[in-house]
Amino acid sequence: MEIATLIGGIGIFLLGMTLLTDTLKKWAGTRLRHHLNQFTDGSLSGATLGALLTALFQSSTVTTLMTIGFVGAGLITFTQSLPLVIGANLGSATTGWIIAVFGYNVDVRQLFLPLIGLGMGLRLSGPRFRRIGLLFVSIGLIFVGIGTLQEAMQSMVTFSFEPSAMSFTQQALLIGIGLLMTVVLQSSTIGLVLTMTALATAAISLSQAAFLILGQSAGTSLVVALGSLGGWKSARRIVLGHAIYHVSIALIGWLAFPILFSIVNRVADAFGWNDLLRLALFHTTFYILGVLLFLPFYQAFARQLLKWIPSRSEKLTHLLDNNMSQLPTVALEAARRSLLEIERYLGSETELLVREGRLREDELILVDKTLSDVRVFLSTIRLEDDGKRNDYGQHLSLLHTIDHLERWLYVLREVEPVHVLRDTDFLVARELVLHELDLVNQLNHHTPPEDSKLWKQASKQLAEYRKAHRSELLEETAANQLEMDLTIQKVQVLLWLDRIGYHIWRATRHLIKPTVPSERFDVNKED
């Protein structure tokens, strides 16, 4: 019967946690995205935000998965994400204090059951109070679940070994049990609640509960890894960093356990605290130690993770630094070299498409994202009114380059060339496009401006071939030698190849031969 009550208590607690998390994410999500960057500029502010988010959602896993989403959406960088992940642990300590102070001193079910009724009343009263009502219901369910767990734990069997004589093997067993609890329950918060409930009902001792908490912390990394399966490299880097951090602090906590446990007990003795408050203090002290050890070195940690799991996106835009915005000439050259790398990358994807008919959408999405990054970087550059004339021309050329690269990217998705590219009618056009792509592959930041004529000549030849061959196809159709549908398909492919060649030429031309500002441009500048 106690097992059924235990399972029911876990279910009620889980329902409350899920409802609380979903409600708060919908409530705070939009505002959070708008103000995210201003809170992640420094290590301390980032860690504080991570702790606050975890305290709000009562789940460090949710905070970490949200952080992965923020990085994937380009709202923050990978380096900015690490303080959030480190601080998230500290926020989870609030759960222990709430339970220690309020969870077992009174009959929480009798206290919080009315809150569920009040919340449902607000939920049904109209859309204005809907979220407040759901918030009340979720809080009520959490504490009713805690009360049910307390009742179930009163008859549970204690561990068979004495806390004062725990061997290395027994300590490792407790840490392993804590890790398994987190993985099975998919939440270290639920594991903490069960541990504190067991401690409150004397099913386990204080030292045993402390070792369970060490294991639960390490288990969080597996939960995050499972929640981010199939993610981009940025997600895998955060998961790896999260795992290294959690496993490291668990090992450090284990090695330093006698010292930490002694300090916690001395402080608790001075205040006359019970075991629940002592466990909450140990939980908090353990996580503060982790923050102090990792936060000062998070940038070096981030650089190492980038070496282990390099990002294609960051490799293409690694030259961009917002601190360059005060040096327009330097910033513009960094943007130009980044666009050169992006064009070569897009060129290799285009060659794969033209030769083999393979369209790798993930790679095109990557190019789209990096172009957006360069556009944002260019928007931060402030050209002085008395600045160099060439800087304005370079800035204008780079905007033209981005425009043509985006058009080139758009054109690639217009036609499915798997079958039609096998048609011998397109051999000449294909070879002209491949010739342009071969030239793109040889691009570097020393390519002289006069070489732009090479792409111009290939594009002109392609346009002339397209016009002549289009006329031939239409004549064959008129003579009933070709079906109309096939003719339309062939003409579309010819136009597709021609447009690719055109945008390759124009993007390259603006990249290696900056625009010379015209008199009209000067007038507009003065206006």
Side-chain angles (χ1 to χ4, degrees), residues 345-390:
Y345 195 88
L346 181 57
S348 65
E349 288 304 310
T350 305
E351 182 176 357
L352 185 66
L353 178 62
V354 173
R355 287 190 185 279
E356 302 178 19
R358 291 173 56 194
L359 181 68
R360 302 198 298 183
E361 183 61 29
D362 285 349
E363 307 303 319
L364 300 189
I365 292 173
L366 171 68
V367 172
D368 197 20
K369 180 183 181 301
T370 53
L371 287 174
S372 177
D373 290 341
V374 178
R375 188 189 294 278
V376 170
F377 177 77
L378 287 174
S379 70
T380 67
I381 301 174
R382 294 290 176 262
L383 301 178
E384 302 294 336
D385 292 337
D386 58 348
K388 296 180 181 178
R389 181 184 180 92
N390 288 340

Side-chain angles (χ1 to χ4, degrees), residues 70-217:
F70 294 148
V71 174
L75 297 174
I76 59 174
T77 65
F78 164 69
T79 303
Q80 287 176 315
S81 73
L82 286 183
L84 268 76
V85 172
I86 293 170
N89 280 338
L90 193 55
S92 65
T94 58
T95 306
W97 288 105
I98 292 171
I99 295 172
V101 174
F102 302 108
Y104 303 106
N105 294 331
V106 294
D107 187 349
V108 290
R109 284 180 292 186
Q110 295 300 320
L111 185 63
F112 283 93
L113 273 172
L115 190 64
I116 298 174
L118 176 62
M120 284 306 299
L122 291 172
R123 164 69 177 82
L124 298 173
S125 64
R128 183 177 180 181
F129 300 104
R130 181 177 183 274
R131 286 179 178 169
I132 296 176
L134 289 175
L135 188 64
F136 284 176
V137 171
S138 61
I139 293 172
L141 287 171
I142 287 171
F143 281 95
V144 169
I146 290 172
T148 306
L149 288 172
Q150 182 183 13
E151 177 186 339
M153 282 291 184
Q154 288 175 351
S155 302
M156 297 297 288
V157 178
T158 62
F159 285 108
S160 59
F161 48 85
E162 292 297 325
S164 58
M166 278 194 293
S167 65
F168 176 86
T169 304
Q170 291 168 339
Q171 292 174 3
L173 176 62
L174 284 168
I175 292 174
I177 291 172
L179 188 149
L180 189 62
M181 287 172 68
T182 300
V183 173
V184 171
L185 298 171
Q186 289 291 289
S187 172
S188 60
T189 301
I190 302 171
L192 175 63
V193 171
L194 287 172
T195 301
M196 297 191 80
T197 305
L199 179 62
T201 55
I204 59 174
S205 69
L206 177 60
S207 58
Q208 290 169 344
F211 278 109
L212 287 173
I213 283 178
L214 293 179
Q216 289 161 11
S217 174

Side-chain angles (χ1 to χ4, degrees), residues 397-454:
S397 288
L398 295 181
L399 291 176
H400 278 298
T401 299
I402 292 174
D403 179 57
H404 283 289
L405 289 175
E406 288 178 337
R407 290 171 183 266
W408 174 359
L409 192 62
Y410 177 80
V411 171
L412 291 184
R413 295 183 170 109
E414 285 188 341
V415 173
E416 291 287 347
V418 179
H419 301 294
V420 292
L421 287 181
R422 297 172 183 170
D423 196 321
T424 54
D425 282 344
F426 308 117
L427 284 177
V428 175
R430 285 176 59 195
E431 288 305 315
L432 288 170
V433 171
L434 290 172
H435 173 61
E436 285 194 71
L437 293 173
D438 184 56
L439 292 172
V440 167
N441 190 48
Q442 300 173 40
L443 266 178
N444 60 66
H445 57 275
H446 295 304
T447 302
E450 56 268 21
D451 279 5
S452 64
K453 66 178 182 293
L454 299 175

Side-chain angles (χ1 to χ4, degrees), residues 19 50 67 108 200 240 289 312 341 411 433 467 513:
L19 191 58
T67 302
V108 290
L240 179 60
L289 178 63
R312 295 168 299 170
E341 292 296 328
V411 171
V433 171
K467 293 176 183 176
K513 189 177 181 181

Side-chain angles (χ1 to χ4, degrees), residues 294-363:
F294 272 81
L295 194 59
F297 311 105
Y298 83 95
Q299 290 183 326
F301 188 31
R303 287 194 294 271
Q304 189 59 51
L305 289 169
L306 284 169
K307 288 180 182 178
W308 288 338
I309 307 179
S311 165
R312 295 168 299 170
S313 171
E314 289 167 1
K315 182 179 179 181
L316 293 175
T317 58
H318 70 281
L319 295 173
L320 304 184
D321 185 344
N322 289 330
N323 295 323
M324 293 179 181
S325 59
Q326 303 302 319
L327 301 169
T329 302
V330 176
L332 289 170
E333 179 60 20
R336 188 181 78 88
R337 295 191 182 197
S338 296
L339 287 173
L340 189 147
E341 292 296 328
I342 293 170
E343 180 173 345
R344 291 177 60 183
Y345 195 88
L346 181 57
S348 65
E349 288 304 310
T350 305
E351 182 176 357
L352 185 66
L353 178 62
V354 173
R355 287 190 185 279
E356 302 178 19
R358 291 173 56 194
L359 181 68
R360 302 198 298 183
E361 183 61 29
D362 285 349
E363 307 303 319

Side-chain angles (χ1 to χ4, degrees), residues 49-70 84-85 87-88:
L49 178 61
L52 290 174
L53 287 176
T54 301
L56 185 66
F57 298 125
Q58 287 297 293
S59 173
S60 61
T61 301
V62 169
T63 300
T64 304
L65 293 177
M66 286 179 66
T67 302
I68 290 173
F70 294 148
L84 268 76
V85 172

